[in-house]
Amino acid sequence: MSPHTIGYLAADPTAGDAITNANTAWILASSALVLLMTPGLAFFYGGMTRAKSTLNMIMMSFSAIGIVSVLWVIYGYSVAFAPDKTHGLFGNLTIRFLHNETQASITNSLYDYAFIAFQLMFAIITLALISGAVADRLKFSAWIVFSVIWISVIYFPVAHWVFAFGVPLSGAKGEVAANGAASGFVQGTGGWIVQKLGALDFAGGTAVHINAGAAGLALCLVLGIRKGFRKEAMRPHNLPLVMIGTGMLWFGWFGFNAGSALVANGLAGIAFVNTQVATAAALCGWLIVERLRDGHFTTLGAASGAVAGLVAITPACGSVSPSGAIAVGGIAGMICAMAVGIKNKLGFDDSLDVVGVHLVGGLVGTLLIGFLATKATNGFVDGIFYGGDASQLGKQAVAAFAVMGYSFFGTLIIALLIKYTIGLRISEEAEIVGIDQAEHAETAYEFTPVSAGAGHTTVASAAPQRVVT
Amino acid sequence: MRLVTAVLKPFKLDDVKTALETFGVQGMTVSEVQGHGRQRGHTEVYRGAEYEVSFVPKVKLEVLVDDADAEDVVEVIAKAAQTGEIGDGKVWSVPVDDVVRVRTGERGVEAL
C-alpha cells in the first residue's frame, strides 16, 4: 500500500460504511461546537462579574478545559462509559488511557473516537457551569482541587447513569436515539437511568444542568456569601461581553443538542429546530416577565432567557415537537426569570444564578417531557398532553431528583472536606482588592493612566533582559 | 488668582467649554467624577434585583483665572450649564496663592 494514500483510513480494512463516516463527520463537528461553549460560558459569566474578578471567572472555565481533558483520557471516559457490573452506577477502568480503543472501533455506526471527543466536551462544560455560583471569593487552588474531585466522583458516574447505553448486543443495532428502554443493548452494562429506569434525557438536562446547578448550590452554601452581598450593588461590569458569550453558547449548543442524536439524520434535525425555537421562546418569556415586573426589557434578561431556554430544551429536544419546544422554552424562560430572585429572599449567594437558570431550567425541561413527549419525535412514548399516562413523568422525576440529590449531597461533602483542609475562601482583604489581582497577579483592564504603566516599576528579578547583538 | 471649580452634567460640558473659550479662557482641566447633591441617584435592575446607584456620573471642570475675571467666569459657566432641572451641579471659586508654569518657570499671574 502506498504511504501516500489519502489519509490512513483508506488503508484500513475495517473502515466504516458511508453512514458511519457521515455520522462521524457530524459528531466531530458537534464536538468542536460543544467545546466552544466553555469559552462562551467564560464570557457569559465573566461579563456578569465585577471588573475586579472577571479574569478569575474566565480562568475557572479555562482551567476546566485543562483538567477535565487530561482526566478524561486517563480514567474519565472509562468510568463513564466502560461496561459496569455495579447495577448501572459507574463503569470500570478497562478503558483507562483509552488503551482498548482503536482507530477502527465503531459502535452503532459511529467511530468510538468521535464519541469520546463529543462526551469529553460535555464533562468540561458541566464543571465550568458550577463556577458561576462562586464568583469573586473562591481560592483558585481550592477550585482546582474541587475540579479534580468533583469531576471524578460526581460527574463521571452521573454521566454513566444518563449517557451510557451499554454494550450493543452482537448483531443487533442498538437504538442510540432517545430510546428509554435502550433495546439492543446488553442489560446490566449501561447506566441505570438510561437503561433500567428509561427516563428521557436527550442531551443532558439531568447529567449536565441539574447536576451543575445542584453542585453550585451546595458549593456556594459552604463557601458563604460575598462580602457586601445584598448590601452593595454587584452589577455586571460588561454586558456586551455577556452577549458575546450568549451568542457563543447558543451557537455551540446546536452541537450539544443536535449532536446528541449521535447520528446525522432527521432526529438531529428536529433536535436542532427544537433548540432554536425553545431558546427563542424563552428569550421572549423572560423579557415579558421582566417588563411586567420591573418595567424594562433588559439586555441581561434577553441573554438569561436564551440560556434558560437552551438549558430546558436540552433534555427535551429529542422527544417533543417544535410546538412543544416553544412551550418548553416559554415556560422555562418565565419560571427561571422568577426563580433568580429566590437567592435574594433566602440569602444564599449563588452569584450568577447557576441555581435559578441551570437547576431550575434543567428541572423544568426534564419534567415537561412527561407532559409534552410525542411519539412523532421520540418514536415510542407519549406524554400526558399527547394521550400518554403519567408513568413517563414519574420516570423523569426519579431521574431528575436522583441526580439532584446525589450531586447536592456529594458536592456538600467535597466542599466541606476542602473547607476544613486547604480552605475555600480568599482573605477578606483580597476579596475587596479583587480576586484577579490577589490570585492571578493580573487585572483585566487598565483603569487609569497610572495603572496603565506610568505608576508601575519593573521588578528586576521578574524578567531578565536578553542582550541582543 | 482664583481656582474656579464646577461640577456639571456631562452633556453640558461642550456648551460650557465653548462659552469659556468665547469668553477668552485659555485652558481648563476636566475630569470624570461621580457624586450627588439633591438629585440623589437612580435605580438599575439586573435579573430582577434592584440596585440603588447613589452616585451619578458628573464632569468636574477646573479653571485658574485672574482675580478680576473670577466672578465673570463663574457666571459664564453657571449660565452655560443651566438646564433648570435637578442635578445641574455647582460652581465655586477659591483663592490660589501661587501658580508655576512648568515649561518656563514663570510664576503668579504670568503663569496663567
Side-chain angles (χ1 to χ4, degrees):
Chain A
M1 183 63 69
S2 158
H4 299 295
T5 309
I6 299 168
Y8 293 114
L9 197 61
D12 183 356
T14 61
D17 54 18
I19 300 293
T20 302
N21 292 349
N23 291 342
T24 302
W26 165 232
I27 297 310
L28 288 175
S30 289
S31 306
L33 284 168
V34 179
L35 173 65
L36 188 70
M37 291 169 67
T38 298
L41 184 78
F43 289 160
F44 180 72
Y45 279 169
M48 259 190 276
T49 60
R50 289 175 289 177
K52 64 182 178 181
S53 43
T54 185
L55 290 178
N56 173 253
M57 185 46 70
I58 288 170
M59 270 296 282
M60 285 196 273
S61 284
F62 274 82
S63 67
I65 301 177
I67 293 165
V68 177
S69 302
V70 172
L71 295 182
W72 187 248
V73 168
I74 299 176
Y75 59 80
Y77 176 72
S78 191
V79 172
F81 290 102
D84 72 55
K85 292 190 176 62
T86 55
H87 308 287
L89 292 178
F90 42 83
N92 58 37
L93 291 174
T94 53
I95 331 177
R96 61 187 180 277
F97 297 101
L98 305 180
H99 67 182
N100 283 338
E101 294 291 341
T102 69
Q103 226 184 101
S105 306
I106 295 171
T107 307
N108 293 302
S109 301
L110 179 66
Y111 280 102
D112 284 2
Y113 268 112
F115 182 73
I116 291 166
F118 185 64
Q119 282 292 340
L120 163 59
M121 307 314 176
F122 281 59
I124 292 169
I125 192 157
T126 307
L127 173 62
L129 284 170
I130 302 169
S131 65
V134 298
D136 301 1
R137 61 203 190 281
L138 177 64
K139 212 158 55 166
F140 194 66
S141 55
W143 168 253
I144 299 292
V145 172
F146 175 83
S147 297
V148 172
I149 301 175
W150 191 87
I151 203 77
S152 305
V153 178
I154 310 289
Y155 183 80
F156 294 154
V158 172
H160 181 78
W161 301 358
V162 177
F163 294 133
F165 285 88
V167 178
L169 291 169
S170 58
K173 271 220 162 192
E175 286 292 313
V176 179
N179 187 332
S183 62
F185 294 89
V186 179
Q187 282 299 311
T189 57
W192 72 271
I193 286 179
V194 65
Q195 202 176 58
K196 289 192 188 135
L197 178 66
L200 293 176
D201 183 356
F202 195 72
T206 55
V208 175
H209 296 288
I210 292 177
N211 197 357
L217 178 60
L219 185 57
C220 83
L221 284 174
V222 177
L223 182 61
I225 62 170
R226 283 171 292 179
K227 202 178 155 37
F229 176 63
R230 292 202 293 177
K231 292 194 197 91
E232 50 189 81
M234 295 186 177
R235 51 188 176 149
H237 87 283
N238 188 338
L239 285 172
L241 200 60
V242 174
M243 303 316 281
I244 291 175
T246 306
M248 288 168 69
L249 281 168
W250 196 331
F251 179 76
W253 223 296
F254 289 119
F256 199 94
N257 284 1
S260 287
L262 297 174
V263 285
N265 67 359
L267 181 62
I270 197 169
F272 195 113
V273 171
N274 284 345
T275 301
Q276 178 64 16
V277 296
T279 307
L283 187 157
C284 298
W286 188 299
L287 287 178
I288 289 167
V289 169
E290 270 194 339
R291 180 69 176 83
L292 295 176
R293 185 185 59 195
D294 313 321
H296 298 280
F297 298 110
T298 71
T299 312
L300 183 59
S304 309
V307 173
L310 288 162
V311 169
I313 200 60
T314 293
C317 61
S319 53
V320 301
S321 69
S323 40
I326 293 176
V328 169
I331 293 168
M334 289 194 269
I335 290 182
C336 292
M338 295 185 271
V340 291
I342 294 170
K343 65 173 183 184
N344 291 315
K345 292 198 178 70
L346 297 183
F348 63 92
D349 187 4
D350 167 23
S351 314
L352 311 180
D353 297 310
V354 183
V355 175
V357 175
H358 294 275
L359 178 56
V360 173
L363 284 171
V364 167
T366 303
L367 296 177
L368 278 179
I369 292 170
F371 296 94
L372 291 164
T374 168
K375 277 182 188 162
T377 301
N378 63 50
F380 66 95
V381 67
D382 279 330
I384 292 167
F385 294 164
Y386 287 79
D389 58 23
S391 64
Q392 191 61 38
L393 178 61
K395 292 175 183 177
Q396 297 302 116
V398 170
F401 292 108
V403 171
M404 189 168 93
Y406 179 68
S407 178
F408 180 81
F409 290 108
T411 308
L412 210 56
I413 293 168
I414 297 170
L416 287 167
L417 278 176
I418 298 174
K419 181 176 179 176
Y420 291 110
T421 50
I422 62 169
L424 278 174
R425 275 191 91 118
I426 57 172
S427 72
E428 195 177 316
E429 190 188 345
E431 194 180 330
I432 292 166
V433 172
I435 191 167
D436 286 359
Q437 211 184 81
E439 289 287 281
H440 304 288
E442 294 171 299
T443 44
Y445 305 97
E446 293 175 341
F447 293 104
T448 66
V450 177
S451 72
H456 284 193
T457 44
T458 309
V459 180
S461 60
Q465 295 217 325
R466 186 169 294 170
V467 179
V468 182
T469 51
Chain B
M1 294 160 293
R2 297 186 78 83
L3 173 67
V4 179
T5 305
V7 174
L8 310 166
K9 282 187 170 165
F11 85 101
K12 294 301 279 182
L13 176 63
D14 214 42
D15 292 348
V16 173
K17 175 173 153 272
T18 311
L20 282 173
E21 282 166 354
T22 311
F23 179 80
V25 168
Q26 300 276 340
M28 63 193 81
T29 304
V30 171
S31 38
E32 292 178 27
V33 295
Q34 300 194 325
H36 72 78
R38 289 182 195 169
Q39 183 190 8
R40 315 305 297 184
H42 63 273
T43 323
E44 293 183 7
V45 186
Y46 296 98
R47 282 185 172 167
E50 286 199 4
Y51 292 118
E52 200 67 49
V53 181
S54 44
F55 296 114
V56 186
K58 297 284 174 189
V59 166
K60 186 163 91 172
L61 179 135
E62 290 160 307
V63 194
L64 278 166
V65 294
D66 197 1
D67 286 332
D69 294 329
E71 191 54 38
D72 290 337
V73 168
V74 168
E75 206 60 39
V76 165
I77 295 173
K79 195 159 165 254
Q82 193 180 39
T83 68
E85 300 289 315
I86 198 160
D88 269 357
K90 292 207 170 30
V91 190
W92 64 90
S93 80
V94 290
V96 171
D97 287 340
D98 199 5
V99 180
V100 182
R101 173 170 282 127
V102 175
R103 175 169 55 87
T104 59
E106 290 163 287
R107 299 184 81 102
V109 183
E110 296 295 307
L112 292 180

